[in-house]
């Protein structure tokens, strides 16, 4: 497994380890709780696995040509490692109310499975070949998709840690 994804997996698991159901469900008005943040990440990993599985099944890249705006955004997120705040998640990866224990127990497996299918696509099609369209960034290679998940995961890890700190302060 990619060492950076392994570290992200460990950090995400650690961020919610020992949090009670009340802590996991606490949120500021209009914001996601820790359980919803974790589920959102889980859904992004699941969608990525499904997308790269389709690439392997079809035996060819499924990416389109990106307009300049999407290429610029890809450069910001993937190239510079900056995740702009305040963007609404696509509907397919918005929390749907999955059982928090399922998400918490399986998120590490999803990250590992995602890394495996991306590595298979890289081996088959090459590291630089655009393979799949991301709903916001447009076409990405497996290498770019991996970096996106690292940047995105770190962005939400900060949220999880802030939520953990907020709920810990309230219970003390």
């Amino acid at each position: 497994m990619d060492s950076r994804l392994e570290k992200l997996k460990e950090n995400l698991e650690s961020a919610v380890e020992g949090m009670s159901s009340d802590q996991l469900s606490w949120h500021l008005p209009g914001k996601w709780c820790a359980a919803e943040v974790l589920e959102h990440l889980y859904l992004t990993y699941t969608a990525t696995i499904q997308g790269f599985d389709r690439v392997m099944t079809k035996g060819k890249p499924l990416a389109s040509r990106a307009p300049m705006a999407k290429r610029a955004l890809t450069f910001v997120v993937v190239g510079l490692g900056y995740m702009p705040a305040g963007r609404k998640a696509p509907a397919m990866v918005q929390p749907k109310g999955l059982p928090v224990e399922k998400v918490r127990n399986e998120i590490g497996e999803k990250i590992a499975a995602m890394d495996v299918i991306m590595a298979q696509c890289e081996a088959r099609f090459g590291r630089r070949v655009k393979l799949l369209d991301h709903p916001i960034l447009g076409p990405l290679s497996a290498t770019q998709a991996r970096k996106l998940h690292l940047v995105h995961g770190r962005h939400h890890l900060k949220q999880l840690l802030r939520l953990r700190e907020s709920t810990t302060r309230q219970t003390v």
Side-chain angles (χ1 to χ4, degrees):
M1 182 174 187
D2 179 273
S3 61
R4 297 166 302 166
L5 284 178
E6 177 69 33
K7 182 71 172 165
L8 175 63
K9 173 182 122 19
E10 292 168 5
N11 288 339
L12 289 171
E13 290 170 344
S14 175
V16 296
E17 185 177 348
M19 287 180 75
S20 69
S21 294
D22 286 343
Q23 288 174 307
L24 287 165
S25 62
W26 181 87
H27 61 90
L28 293 169
K31 299 291 185 182
W32 286 348
C33 64
E36 290 168 322
V37 171
L38 209 58
E39 182 182 351
H40 164 68
L41 290 170
Y42 177 92
L43 293 171
T44 66
Y45 304 146
T46 301
T48 299
I49 292 165
Q50 292 168 348
F52 280 99
D53 274 341
R54 279 193 321 274
V55 170
M56 290 299 283
T57 299
K58 296 273 186 183
K60 65 179 185 177
L62 302 175
S64 64
R65 180 154 167 75
M68 184 56 80
K70 287 192 176 194
R71 287 189 293 208
L73 190 53
T74 298
F75 174 74
V76 169
V77 175
V78 176
L80 301 177
Y82 175 74
M83 180 64 65
R87 190 179 260 306
K88 188 173 178 165
M92 66 192 279
V93 294
Q94 288 185 14
K96 295 160 181 31
L98 291 174
V100 69
E101 286 309 311
K102 172 185 175 59
V103 172
R104 191 187 335 212
N105 292 336
E106 295 177 12
I107 196 161
E109 295 168 20
K110 291 293 181 185
I111 293 171
M114 180 181 69
D115 188 54
V116 167
I117 191 67
M118 288 191 295
Q120 290 171 350
C121 285
E122 282 177 325
R124 185 167 181 186
F125 301 105
R127 293 178 48 90
R128 296 183 182 266
V129 175
K130 307 286 188 197
L131 298 170
L132 194 60
D133 287 346
H134 181 272
I136 296 170
L137 302 181
L140 298 175
S141 67
T143 303
Q144 289 174 311
R146 187 177 290 109
K147 176 77 182 282
L148 165 64
H149 281 289
L150 289 166
V151 172
H152 182 245
R154 288 178 188 143
H155 167 79
H156 286 298
L157 176 62
K158 291 175 191 172
Q159 291 176 332
L160 289 170
L161 293 172
R162 282 193 301 268
L163 284 164
R164 181 183 189 95
E165 183 179 320
S166 295
T167 60
T168 301
R169 273 190 266 122
Q170 290 180 355
T171 58
V172 173

